[in-house]
Amino acid sequence: MITPQSVYDLVLRCIGNNTCSVCDLHKPCIGHPCACVQHTPVIDFDEVERLWHISRKQPSTASADALVCHHNLCFVEIKGWIKFLENLHLTGERQLTDREEERLKGRILKQVNHYDFQKKLLSSIEVCEDITGTPDLLSALPVAFILVTDVNPETSPLEVFSMQLSMLAHTSTDWKKVCTEAMSQRLASQITSIHTYFVYCKDFDHLIKSL
């Protein structure tokens, strides 16, 4: 009988039983770990996809960043925004005209619209089906998709109050919220047939344990 764990174990063998963490797969974290390093072992699925298609002399395809198993088989996609916002000089308090704000919101939406979560999920499922010899993985076992980001999708009441004071004082936009809302809408519009989760990278371990 095929199970999430048996699929995970078969995929793991393809890369020599080597695991890593989501922090290892988030490029800004490499060499600069934060104080909230996550410890849940995951499979580097980009590497699985690469090796699998090389072995079959086939071109590479888009895939999820990681695979993890905890009751469900979870495909994980990691999207960082801190560096993006830093490059636009939007991580501090900066006065902008309405026109500048609209232009920058357009830049964020353009970036989000490049994300094809559905394509990555379906391609990753296909690789797992090939590896395990399971023709219809979605019907055979519980599958979930987890979107991980370095800006917090959930805001505490204290943070909300702080942002409100800041906006009253500086009439500034909460750019992290613009990013997370755009990603949330993109995820909801693309993947509807399975459970999806949108989580702050520092809460990844907690989410996996709760599934």
Side-chain angles (χ1 to χ4, degrees):
M1 179 181 176
I2 196 78
T3 66
Q5 189 63 54
S6 65
V7 172
Y8 181 88
D9 291 342
L10 287 169
V11 173
L12 185 58
R13 290 179 197 171
C14 293
I15 54 169
N17 295 316
N18 295 315
T19 61
C20 57
S21 72
V22 290
C23 301
D24 296 322
L25 300 177
H26 184 213
K27 292 180 181 178
C29 287
I30 298 173
H32 304 89
C34 69
C36 297
V37 174
Q38 303 300 288
H39 300 286
T40 300
V42 303
I43 295 173
D44 180 348
F45 203 83
D46 279 333
E47 182 67 1
V48 171
E49 180 276 324
R50 187 184 72 84
L51 294 174
W52 186 254
H53 284 108
I54 285 176
S55 70
R56 277 148 185 74
K57 297 182 180 179
Q58 296 174 348
S60 184
T61 59
S63 67
D65 291 318
L67 185 71
V68 64
C69 179
H70 190 81
H71 303 304
N72 296 275
L73 188 68
C74 302
F75 294 91
V76 181
E77 182 67 12
I78 305 167
K79 293 299 182 188
W81 279 93
I82 295 297
K83 286 294 182 183
F84 183 90
L85 294 176
E86 286 178 351
N87 290 336
L88 293 179
H89 308 291
L90 294 177
T91 52
E93 293 174 353
R94 177 184 168 193
Q95 294 292 330
L96 297 169
T97 65
D98 290 344
R99 186 174 181 179
E100 286 175 322
E101 286 204 2
E102 287 305 310
R103 181 178 61 82
L104 290 167
K105 286 179 182 177
R107 289 279 299 274
I108 290 170
L109 289 175
K110 183 178 179 180
Q111 179 72 13
V112 171
N113 287 337
H114 285 153
Y115 298 158
D116 196 335
F117 300 129
Q118 184 181 58
K119 182 179 179 180
K120 288 195 169 192
L121 172 64
L122 294 177
S123 176
S124 301
I125 289 173
E126 186 176 340
V127 170
C128 288
E129 289 174 342
D130 287 345
I131 291 172
T132 62
T134 305
D136 189 356
L137 205 66
L138 284 174
S139 298
L141 47 81
V143 173
F145 185 88
I146 304 174
L147 177 58
V148 180
T149 184
D150 58 0
V151 288
N152 195 349
E154 297 183 6
T155 309
S156 71
L158 184 61
E159 289 174 316
V160 169
F161 181 65
S162 176
M163 285 189 299
Q164 288 172 340
L165 289 178
S166 177
M167 290 178 72
L168 286 171
H170 303 283
T171 61
S172 60
T173 297
D174 179 6
W175 293 104
K176 292 180 181 179
K177 187 175 182 181
V178 172
C179 296
T180 57
E181 287 183 348
M183 280 195 292
S184 179
Q185 291 172 9
R186 184 73 171 171
L187 178 62
S189 69
Q190 288 197 336
I191 301 177
T192 59
S193 60
I194 63 171
H195 286 298
T196 60
Y197 302 90
F198 186 21
V199 64
Y200 189 27
C201 57
K202 296 179 181 180
D203 295 329
F204 182 75
D205 285 353
H206 178 73
L207 170 67
I208 298 301
K209 290 175 183 177
S210 71
L211 295 181

